[in-house]
Amino acid sequence: MTIQHERLEKAAEMLRAVAHPVRLSILQILKNGEKNVTEICQSLGSAQSYTSQQLNILRSRGILASRKNGTQVFYRIAFPGVLKIIQCVCAQGAEAPESGG
């Protein structure tokens, strides 16, 4: 496997990780700074177990980083470039004409 192929595989994994409405919402919540799991759950309106599962997916792909402070876990965006990617995709979606399907 070439280095270029490995980079493309990693990029594809990152894109698959963010290709989910809840995970996109998490990134929007964290774009202004780190938050603890409780704050993220409240913003999403979802259960902690489900939110933690989504956070772990993003963290395992290198998109988020976490730190513990006592019993609380705080998350932040570790790969800020992901916000640019999402912004570009959202902007393109806003410009695209609706299909007559």
Side-chain angles (χ1 to χ4, degrees), residues 18-39:
V18 299
H20 187 281
V22 171
R23 294 192 287 268
L24 287 170
S25 295
I26 289 170
L27 293 169
Q28 291 297 309
I29 292 164
L30 295 175
K31 73 179 179 182
N32 294 320
E34 75 174 13
K35 304 252 187 281
N36 67 33
V37 176
T38 303
E39 292 171 312

Side-chain angles (χ1 to χ4, degrees), residues 4 7 12 15 19 26 34 40-41 47 51 75 79 81 85-86 97 99 101:
Q4 178 67 15
R7 286 182 183 156
L15 290 170
I26 289 170
E34 75 174 13
I40 297 168
C41 289
T51 302
Y75 287 87
F79 177 62
I85 294 166
I86 293 165
S99 64

Side-chain angles (χ1 to χ4, degrees), residues 34-98:
E34 75 174 13
K35 304 252 187 281
N36 67 33
V37 176
T38 303
E39 292 171 312
I40 297 168
C41 289
Q42 289 173 347
S43 294
L44 291 173
S46 64
Q48 184 173 342
S49 60
Y50 180 72
T51 302
S52 293
Q53 180 183 23
Q54 303 308 313
L55 289 164
N56 284 330
I57 291 168
L58 292 169
R59 189 174 49 81
S60 71
R61 300 306 191 286
I63 297 165
L64 296 184
S66 63
R67 70 175 177 87
K68 283 190 100 167
N69 185 6
T71 60
Q72 294 185 341
V73 179
F74 289 83
Y75 287 87
R76 69 182 181 285
I77 296 174
F79 177 62
V82 75
L83 295 174
K84 292 179 184 177
I85 294 166
I86 293 165
Q87 182 182 8
C88 288
V89 171
C90 288
Q92 181 62 31
E95 296 171 6
E98 291 187 31

